[in-house]
Amino acid sequence: MPEPQVIIITGASRGIGHAIATHLLKAGHKVVLTARSPEKLEELQKEYPSQVQYLAADMTLPDTPYKLKELALLHFHHINAVIINHGALSPMTRVANSSIDDWKALFDANFFSALALAKETIPYLRETKGRLIFTSSGAATGAYTAWGAYGTSKAALNHLSKHIAVEEPDITSVAVSPGRVDTDMQKELREKGKAEMAPKDHEAFSKEFEAGTLVRPEQSGGVIANLAVSAKPELAGQYFKWNAPELAEYQLS
């Protein structure tokens, strides 16, 4: 069996992040998890006591990236990969109706906290020739009415991944769109997005939920987990949909 890897995962208490953590733990890897709510993280630590460390924290706090890095090094002594999976969708407002302060808060949650964690862990990922995987979004490349803040923040993540790939040749940095996944974020847009989203877009998302055709967290989460373990260097700097042909070998059979 390959040597267990040490992987930091943000946004790990639910949805895609929880699916990623579970996938990696079942494969024998060691994880350092973070989310604001500790309950699900505690459950994983009880189930896999020698493989899990966690930090219940807000990623927008300036000391959280440092604490995560230190937790990984203290207990597991190195870092093989970082999965930046946390993020927020709101505010869902059109640009003309938006608040600059709300945009700044969203960029703190979705971009600047991600940048801070990447910066904190890059020296250790260099040592292991590790991987940095960003959970992106289709909204990074395609616009939806009232998703300006979210989509723009995810586009910035994609470009950050490209810059890291150029600057850090020993680190494989990849951005992945997980698709329309059956998570709390999808529930949020169905319940709160109707007032500002284009009716055709809101209806399309709602119909996918009603038809049961949303992606399961385990599907795209499994791809992201496998990339964190073994993404090839030639993928560095690229953005993919989770089910892209280029990622066939990382997809669950």
Side-chain angles (χ1 to χ4, degrees), residues 163-234:
H163 278 286
I164 291 170
V166 169
E167 296 174 0
E168 302 291 340
D170 288 333
I171 298 173
T172 301
S173 177
V174 184
V176 181
S177 167
R180 295 181 179 181
V181 187
D182 192 8
T183 62
D184 288 347
M185 190 174 286
Q186 283 285 323
K187 182 180 179 183
E188 180 183 356
L189 77 85
R190 289 194 303 272
E191 293 179 351
K192 299 181 181 178
K194 191 172 184 178
E196 291 271 0
M197 288 177 66
K200 64 179 178 59
D201 293 334
H202 187 268
E203 183 179 356
F205 280 100
S206 298
K207 282 186 174 179
E208 281 203 52
F209 171 72
E210 292 162 5
T213 56
L214 292 173
V215 178
R216 289 181 290 107
E218 295 77 16
Q219 291 176 287
S220 48
V223 172
I224 292 169
N226 290 336
L227 285 166
V229 172
S230 59
K232 293 178 178 177
E234 54 263 34

Side-chain angles (χ1 to χ4, degrees), residues 11-14 34-39 41 55-60 87-88 109:
S13 65
R14 58 187 183 177
T34 189
R36 285 175 296 181
S37 302
E39 292 80 11
L41 310 184
L55 176 69
D58 185 336
M59 281 300 300
T60 63

Side-chain angles (χ1 to χ4, degrees), residues 29-65:
H29 299 291
K30 298 176 180 180
V31 298
V32 177
L33 310 175
T34 189
R36 285 175 296 181
S37 302
E39 292 80 11
K40 292 291 185 181
L41 310 184
E42 289 173 359
E43 289 175 10
L44 287 174
Q45 189 178 56
K46 287 177 182 177
E47 189 173 355
Y48 301 92
S50 66
Q51 294 172 245
V52 176
Q53 292 295 321
Y54 74 87
L55 176 69
D58 185 336
M59 281 300 300
T60 63
L61 296 177
D63 60 348
T64 299

Side-chain angles (χ1 to χ4, degrees), residues 137-138 141 175-179 223 239-247 251:
S137 169
T141 58
V176 181
S177 167
V223 172
Y239 161 78
F240 299 99
K241 294 182 179 179
W242 73 276
N243 56 353
E246 297 91 336
L247 301 185
Q251 293 159 15

